[in-house]
Amino acid sequence: MKSLRIGMIGYKFMGRTHSNAWRQVDKFFDVPARPVLKTLAGRDAAAVKEAASQLGWEGTATRWQDVVADPEIDIIDINTANDTHAEIAIAAAKAGKHVLCEKPLAMTVEEAQGMVDAVKAAGVVNMVCHNYRRIPAIAQAKKMIEAGDLGRIFHYRARYLQDWIVDPNFPLVWRLQSKIAGSGTHGDINAHIIDLGRYLVGELDEVNGHLETFIKERPLPEDPTKTGEVTVDDAAITLARFKNGAIGVLEASRFALGRKNHIQLEINGSKGSLVFDFEDMNRLKYYNEADPADRRGYRDILVTEGVHPYVGSWWPPGHIIGYEHTFVHTIADFIRAVVDGKPVHPTFEDGLEDQKVLAAVEQSSKTRSWVKV
Amino acid sequence: MKSLRIGMIGYKFMGRTHSNAWRQVDKFFDVPARPVLKTLAGRDAAAVKEAASQLGWEGTATRWQDVVADPEIDIIDINTANDTHAEIAIAAAKAGKHVLCEKPLAMTVEEAQGMVDAVKAAGVVNMVCHNYRRIPAIAQAKKMIEAGDLGRIFHYRARYLQDWIVDPNFPLVWRLQSKIAGSGTHGDINAHIIDLGRYLVGELDEVNGHLETFIKERPLPEDPTKTGEVTVDDAAITLARFKNGAIGVLEASRFALGRKNHIQLEINGSKGSLVFDFEDMNRLKYYNEADPADRRGYRDILVTEGVHPYVGSWWPPGHIIGYEHTFVHTIADFIRAVVDGKPVHPTFEDGLEDQKVLAAVEQSSKTRSWVKV
Amino acid sequence: MKSLRIGMIGYKFMGRTHSNAWRQVDKFFDVPARPVLKTLAGRDAAAVKEAASQLGWEGTATRWQDVVADPEIDIIDINTANDTHAEIAIAAAKAGKHVLCEKPLAMTVEEAQGMVDAVKAAGVVNMVCHNYRRIPAIAQAKKMIEAGDLGRIFHYRARYLQDWIVDPNFPLVWRLQSKIAGSGTHGDINAHIIDLGRYLVGELDEVNGHLETFIKERPLPEDPTKTGEVTVDDAAITLARFKNGAIGVLEASRFALGRKNHIQLEINGSKGSLVFDFEDMNRLKYYNEADPADRRGYRDILVTEGVHPYVGSWWPPGHIIGYEHTFVHTIADFIRAVVDGKPVHPTFEDGLEDQKVLAAVEQSSKTRSWVKV
Amino acid sequence: MKSLRIGMIGYKFMGRTHSNAWRQVDKFFDVPARPVLKTLAGRDAAAVKEAASQLGWEGTATRWQDVVADPEIDIIDINTANDTHAEIAIAAAKAGKHVLCEKPLAMTVEEAQGMVDAVKAAGVVNMVCHNYRRIPAIAQAKKMIEAGDLGRIFHYRARYLQDWIVDPNFPLVWRLQSKIAGSGTHGDINAHIIDLGRYLVGELDEVNGHLETFIKERPLPEDPTKTGEVTVDDAAITLARFKNGAIGVLEASRFALGRKNHIQLEINGSKGSLVFDFEDMNRLKYYNEADPADRRGYRDILVTEGVHPYVGSWWPPGHIIGYEHTFVHTIADFIRAVVDGKPVHPTFEDGLEDQKVLAAVEQSSKTRSWVKV
């Protein structure tokens, strides 16, 4: 069988999820090529060696440029901090590598545009890793919406709630500093429900958002007796209008106690409704107005059957899967696209569209009015 | 409009629920006769007067015999302790009154048989008040089962769980003494899930039960420094075989912390399944095997639509009802039966059948083997 | 016992809920006066007589002015169309009657202000009937928030979703015409979650809303071959900032298939969170950050215990109550206030505040920007 | 780091789960030795080679005897049909290999006893793979019960429900023939809830079960125009008494439509209750009677925190795991036990105890009475 040799840049949280996916994909999916975990890159030589050993990579590099330049490498997988995505991706495209890049694609719309231009010019397969699109329940929802099962869509309501910085003594880590992180909840988790809205409902027309910082000073990590200013948002709330006439309400927060990774979506259309909750990700709730009047109700579909997207490659019905499987599905489709030389969603153009929405929400929060995407 | 004059014997917990139902029924249901709350009977003259004033009764009596003998009275409603049901009901039937009697119908199969004989001989309308049969969700379940929507039934599993005597210092009240209460959970709450099993699934063929008493001594109510023996069961667990080939598992307990009035039923058939939980009594869950393979799941039917049994007489969809409404539904049907002179389930014969099952379970717990009903 | 004689104006949906509450309140609550259902008023003599007979009223009137002028009447209960509230309430106050008025209090802020002035000048007890405040779970939530159990509040998110006009052939009833109804979802159901937000979280500082009409033409009720313009909103989505620094997201819609009377609230604070869903109104979910780290989770509190507000007057634990009980609780508190001559929330001043928020949201939807309340 | 070389016998469903666990364990857990997937054995040379390639094994064998005899092998992992467990395990023990064996341990109590004798005589580490013990929520439950958080246990109720043979045209596969499968639901899934009962509540004293076959004839797989007799149970229902005074109700079925791999457990004690549902396996519900009276309720613990057993080695809070992870946890503990030379539950002795319970239930179904374990 054909092999694809992977060079991966970055090995923290996303490096772990991607490594797992590269290792697992051909054990469960009938992919047309086997990935070879060839080179893992990171600046700290000792740390990257340890990570490679732990995560199953053959070799290491301390300069991503060397990996991009390596003629043995077919695919570059970018898991570094957001401010480095553009440079690496553009270089990889120029070197003729297919590129998988973590979300958000870039720091700005301009950067994202540059990345789109580069992959188009190079003709390489490109994908931004919005793993939640390939939760089986979400893929099933997409299938149903495309088949018209919901009819005309009226409402998209989405929440992405976490609770890890409610404590005011939680330190001012880099994620809470705009110069490094760009934004807070907005680029980190609001980005996910924006992408899912575009995927499931359609393109956005205009948005009206508000970014809030509840705790404005926090102890410095290096010296907890001193404090510094929090320069990112703690929460983002947004009204939205889609081009197809649907309206949306989006909310992202790190201040919702008890909500750990709570992504709740509800879509209401003229023929039915769908509800999803990530903490119960193997289920999809579906209301079908065409059911007989005395037995209508949200169906609690356990999305673990062979007829459901992706999940049949794992275990028998009722044997649930988890978070990391969504990356395996993503990479399975990416491998197929690379072998076939065909686009695979979400492309860098999707990442660019997401970026435009993120920028519009930020602007609307400043101008305190609606902003066209 | 025609009136029906009610004489009610007993005014404690069930007296309150029945009084409410008699008062409310013609405000919400289109019944062919209006009940007049004529006489409330109880042995303590002062207490019964106060209760009558509180509950809306016109007059009182201290001897039930006087109410039964009163030619003005059309209906006798019996809410007294179980050991008095038979005597009152038989006297009422002989006096030509229609009779509504709280469950369990009697103390023994023999007593119940005597009551059945009396109402048959007198030709009066008779009903045992198994109010849970007229929860809208249960009535909807019955309708679906009768229509064949579940196909052949394989399983009946039912739990009736409470937690009010887990504390070993809870005193030895009369309900925990067999000479007064007859049995513990068995006659009190197991009786309900036995009746619902007969109603929804069919007649029982044989049973195999175990009655357990976890706390064998408790403080005396009159002198907590002394203890007395608990002579009833704290929990009852039962295996059952129905005549139609279904099998059942029933469990009743007062030792399930956190379960307040938790009646959970599940019925599995060859075409679908139904699940009900009393603490969420406005819902019925329904699994339909005929749904498309990728969108099967338990439907969470909110049983508050006009098309559902009983509930349309109350409020608009989504505006839920509660416990006492089940008694109003029961009495609405009873009134119709009285006016029409037709039987209304559950009749005293149903009460007799329930009694036979209760007796069989008790016997099986003693013989430690299966007993034919 | 003291009596209070009630004159009620209007007998449709709210007339039914209020009549039931007046009838039931002294059967279950230890109120200091018994209500006498003296006069029911409505313009159609035959219809009001039939309603009075059905709902339990002693007499009828066809002019509300006669009821307000009747010296026998102590309390005026207003359940008429919104555009008549102000006139009736002001007349009743001038006549020295205590006044209970359905929500929304008025058509405009000015009207509401006039009503507040009138009841203040007259010194009568006044209350706007926001019945949802006295759902036991909501009253329990209020108690916990006031006790500081949630700490500083960050988020209020509220949805009031229904689905009764999704069908484009649903006719252009008066509720869909602004000249009669004022607004659509906004005044009807958004008003409820605005009032609950003020009650539970605090006063609003500024709002940013969007009112949407999905179906712009509908068949005329009198002639379905013709259509007319829908002049009210089908949905209202709102961002909000509270004076205490909390932020809110509110959504009201009649276009959410499968949601019948779905009022879902979530409040996140620095010490805990609360979640409520009306279709499951006997439950309150509570997350307590102070629980041990390995056993934290949303508690599913079945609000049916004697220690919970109101509900102990009904049935034992686990025996749930429903929609109409919230009116009984409201009227029990109103009677106490009348007898004691003390204010009872929500007063007409609360109604006025609600009206100011409603007006600000409408204005923001026009100006497409934030508006101070 | 030390290596442990694995020889695995059998490569079907359980072979896939075990292979995955051997591959993944050192990527996520800090185990003291790395497993080497050395030899996969199966009788069909071509099939075993393909499986080895797919599942990540270095080499293959067609005779398990060769693997057991291989001095390079440290551990034998048995995933074959139940009727071969004893022979292979005893040979492996005699050869000084540590042994991991799929459940049920054996076909009979006698066989299981022989296996226990063999591993004891050889002094090898031995484990029966009851993977559900190491679901994080179950491990958390065990921790809480051992700490006394539930107090005295009164009730164990357990259901293991599936629905894959409801269709009477489902063919007479080997799992439905007693000569090959031993039993139906009983040994396959009842075994799991028996083991969990022993693990969480304690040893059983006596049982009273009923095995039922609903569909007695099915089409032959090789010729669907003919039918053969179903010689195993379709469902097993059991009453149980534990040595510590608790009582239990267990139910296993393949005839519960809509239940895919529904393992629901509830344990009620004098201080609290626990509820678990496998299809929602990242959650544990906990009722604590010591909570304040107005805020008691089942806590919905999302068992994904670092403080919870096992799960912290995977992903951040709220990022759920799935079915196969339970095998990784099992094998992580097995590796530690092998390196330390210490026992690890469930040992073969546990498997023997489980077998005794299974045998007692079968006997009670025949004698129709209680049977001592």
Side-chain angles (χ1 to χ4, degrees), chain A residues 16 54 324, chain C residues 294, chain D residues 21 24-32 127-144 146 196 199-200 276 281-282 284 302-337 343-346:
Chain A
R16 288 181 71 221
Q54 176 76 20
E324 80 258 28
Chain C
D294 66 344
Chain D
Q24 292 282 73
V25 63
D26 63 329
K27 308 298 186 300
F28 292 93
F29 287 83
D30 189 22
V31 281
M127 189 184 203
V128 55
C129 186
H130 269 294
N131 60 303
Y132 291 135
R133 288 190 177 205
R134 285 176 174 86
I135 296 167
I138 294 293
Q140 173 70 20
K142 174 70 173 175
K143 210 172 79 176
M144 292 170 70
E146 288 205 327
L196 288 170
Y199 182 53
L200 294 171
F276 172 79
M281 63 167 258
N282 293 269
L284 179 67
L302 194 56
V303 187
T304 60
E305 302 287 321
V307 292
H308 292 132
Y310 301 108
V311 71
S313 297
W314 297 96
W315 313 108
H319 295 68
I320 70 169
I321 60 168
Y323 168 68
E324 81 258 29
H325 300 71
T326 61
F327 292 91
V328 181
H329 306 163
T330 301
I331 274 173
D333 283 349
F334 182 66
I335 290 174
R336 287 186 193 112
V344 59
H345 80 87

Side-chain angles (χ1 to χ4, degrees), chain A residues 121-171:
Chain A
V124 295
V125 174
N126 55 93
M127 188 185 203
V128 54
C129 185
H130 270 293
N131 60 303
Y132 292 135
R133 287 189 177 206
R134 286 177 174 86
I135 297 168
I138 294 293
Q140 172 71 19
K142 175 70 174 174
K143 210 173 77 176
M144 292 170 70
I145 291 168
E146 289 205 326
D149 293 337
L150 259 60
R152 173 184 168 189
I153 293 181
F154 299 118
H155 287 288
Y156 177 63
R157 65 185 65 85
R159 311 168 171 174
Y160 197 144
L161 305 179
Q162 300 180 334
D163 72 355
W164 55 281
I165 57 171
V166 172
D167 183 350
N169 293 319
F170 187 93

Side-chain angles (χ1 to χ4, degrees), chain A residues 140 143-144 147 149 286-287 291-302 305 307-308, chain B residues 140 143-144 147 149 286-287 291-302 305 307-308:
Chain A
Q140 172 71 19
K143 210 173 77 176
M144 292 170 70
D149 293 337
Y286 167 48
Y287 184 87
D291 282 337
D294 66 344
R295 52 198 72 180
R296 281 182 205 138
Y298 277 89
R299 295 184 200 173
D300 190 2
I301 306 172
L302 193 57
E305 302 288 321
V307 292
H308 292 132
Chain B
Q140 173 71 20
K143 210 173 78 176
M144 293 170 70
D149 293 338
Y286 168 47
Y287 185 88
D291 282 337
D294 66 344
R295 53 196 72 181
R296 281 183 205 137
Y298 277 90
R299 295 182 198 175
D300 189 1
I301 305 172
L302 193 56
E305 302 286 323
V307 292
H308 292 132

Side-chain angles (χ1 to χ4, degrees), chain B residues 220-331:
Chain B
L220 300 181
E222 60 275 15
D223 180 0
T225 65
K226 295 182 185 160
T227 62
E229 191 189 357
V230 176
T231 46
V232 302
D233 55 287
D234 289 336
I237 54 179
T238 309
L239 306 181
R241 296 184 59 252
F242 290 82
K243 287 185 176 165
N244 61 11
I247 59 174
V249 172
L250 292 83
E251 186 172 13
S253 177
R254 294 168 174 163
F255 275 72
L257 274 179
R259 303 306 192 181
K260 301 304 176 179
N261 200 51
H262 178 79
I263 310 172
Q264 197 186 73
L265 310 180
E266 180 167 336
I267 300 175
N268 307 118
S270 60
K271 294 185 178 172
S273 294
L274 291 171
V275 178
F276 172 79
D277 184 336
F278 177 78
E279 290 169 352
D280 224 350
M281 62 167 258
N282 293 270
R283 296 177 185 274
L284 179 66
K285 301 203 174 165
Y286 168 47
Y287 185 88
N288 181 10
E289 183 71 3
D291 282 337
D294 66 344
R295 53 196 72 181
R296 281 183 205 137
Y298 277 90
R299 295 182 198 175
D300 189 1
I301 305 172
L302 193 56
V303 187
T304 61
E305 302 286 323
V307 292
H308 292 132
Y310 302 107
V311 71
S313 297
W314 297 97
W315 313 109
H319 295 70
I320 69 170
I321 60 168
Y323 168 68
E324 80 259 29
H325 300 69
T326 60
F327 291 92
V328 182
H329 306 163
T330 302
I331 274 173

